[in-house]
Amino acid sequence: MTATNRFQQRSAALESSDVTAPERLDVTVVLPCYNEQDHVLKEIERISAAMDRSGYSYELLAIDDCSTDNTLAVLREAELRFPSLRVMPFHRNGGSGTARRIGTQQARGEIVVWTDADMTYPNERIPELVQLLEKDQNIDQVVGARTSEQGTHKFLRVPAKWIIRKIAERLTGVKIPDLNSGLRAFRRDVSLPYLRLLPPGFSCVTTITMAFLHNQHDVRYVSIDYAKRAGSSKFHFVRDAYRYILQVVRMVMYFNPLKVLMPPALWLVGIGLVKIIYDVIAHPVRVANNTVMLLMAGLIITAVALLADLIVRSRSE
């Protein structure tokens, strides 16, 4: 028997076999879990009860991010009780952003919901977010905008998050009530091109917001309460605040670099031109070295901005 005949027989066998694609669902709730053994079961019960009452077909995808406690054992036991629960264990810690990215890629639901397992978000309101997407096809993402701050380092987090949010609003030109809320629902097919941009850490929620806004996807905000978290916080103020700011600038640079680079370039050129006039009046036929440096810096940044914008506009998404 030739290789061609064997290939044809194998193809015919595959075509005739009763292989069905995974069932498509209305909603996938992605629940990253890392050392949540004491309360993850309560969260599963709360989410499952809300989704069962909603009438939507759904799956609850709980991702154990290589927990060092008994979180995975609790999830495995819960998997026997809740038919819609699917457990995905990681063999090494990848961060909440990695868990959300892989969970979204593996989701069978047309709408994906991100939330946390620390009892902070009102997950009983998940069907409400999904319903907004179902009723209005123009909306691509619904974000639960928190009305209070209950995290650690509150006296530092509140002003820091306000500054980061204002930077994001300035760079995107859109009002953003909550930039990094962990409770959101969005259309899976719309999100797929942006999943590769997600960082591994907490700033993944900022990234998905910025990606949608920069590409003219309608994002709706719904006010929600925010409770004190159960267990210990994984948020490190200095490190994660720096990453949030960096990610905001990075996302704007990725989609619209002129927003970041042109303002300082124009300021430098403008100051340089004023300085030239001053130098010529104060010291005829002499231009100071710092004036030349200002002009050159402004022109170089302008050239980089235009080149970056050209790359962005010629990039194939």
Side-chain angles (χ1 to χ4, degrees), residues 154-174:
K154 184 176 180 179
F155 68 100
L156 292 174
R157 287 170 70 120
V158 171
K161 290 171 73 171
W162 183 85
I163 292 172
I164 295 171
R165 181 164 56 84
K166 288 303 178 181
I167 292 173
E169 289 180 347
R170 178 71 176 176
L171 293 175
T172 60
V174 179

Side-chain angles (χ1 to χ4, degrees), residues 27-31 47 51 58-62 111-115 126:
V27 183
T28 292
V29 180
V30 178
L31 187 69
I47 295 172
M51 293 306 298
Y58 76 97
E59 64 173 346
L60 174 54
L61 181 55
I111 293 174
V112 174
V113 177
W114 286 358
T115 189
I126 287 176

Side-chain angles (χ1 to χ4, degrees), residues 2-193:
T2 65
T4 302
N5 290 335
R6 284 197 299 270
F7 176 78
Q8 291 173 345
Q9 288 184 357
R10 191 184 306 114
S11 300
L14 288 173
E15 291 175 359
S16 62
S17 63
D18 186 20
V19 178
T20 58
E23 178 188 1
R24 300 305 299 174
L25 303 171
D26 295 328
V27 183
T28 292
V29 180
V30 178
L31 187 69
C33 305
Y34 180 67
N35 292 350
E36 313 282 4
Q37 64 176 10
D38 296 330
H39 42 267
V40 67
L41 182 58
K42 294 180 182 178
E43 200 67 273
I44 290 172
E45 291 172 346
R46 182 162 63 142
I47 295 172
S48 298
M51 293 306 298
D52 288 340
R53 289 193 300 268
S54 71
Y56 292 114
S57 61
Y58 76 97
E59 64 173 346
L60 174 54
L61 181 55
I63 302 176
D64 178 65
D65 196 13
C66 196
S67 297
T68 57
D69 61 3
N70 292 322
T71 298
L72 181 57
V74 173
L75 292 175
R76 288 301 189 193
E77 291 179 6
E79 198 172 21
L80 302 176
R81 291 176 45 197
F82 297 92
S84 296
L85 176 62
R86 182 158 61 107
V87 177
M88 179 183 296
F90 283 0
H91 298 294
R92 63 183 180 88
N93 184 267
S96 61
T98 301
R100 289 184 171 103
R101 173 176 58 80
I102 294 178
T104 304
Q105 291 171 336
Q106 297 295 320
R108 292 184 293 166
E110 295 181 5
I111 293 174
V112 174
V113 177
W114 286 358
T115 189
D116 290 337
D118 56 11
M119 306 298 293
T120 54
Y121 291 102
N123 288 327
E124 65 277 2
R125 295 184 62 183
I126 287 176
E128 179 185 337
L129 274 61
V130 174
Q131 192 175 40
L132 287 173
L133 289 171
E134 181 188 29
K135 287 184 176 180
D136 191 343
Q137 296 298 314
N138 293 319
I139 303 174
D140 292 315
Q141 183 172 182
V142 179
V143 179
R146 294 164 293 183
T147 56
S148 62
E149 176 60 61
Q150 299 294 335
T152 56
H153 309 292
K154 184 176 180 179
F155 68 100
L156 292 174
R157 287 170 70 120
V158 171
K161 290 171 73 171
W162 183 85
I163 292 172
I164 295 171
R165 181 164 56 84
K166 288 303 178 181
I167 292 173
E169 289 180 347
R170 178 71 176 176
L171 293 175
T172 60
V174 179
K175 184 174 177 57
I176 306 173
D178 193 341
L179 180 62
N180 59 337
S181 170
L183 177 59
R184 60 190 59 226
F186 52 86
R187 303 187 192 280
R188 178 180 179 272
D189 59 338
V190 176
S191 71
L192 290 178

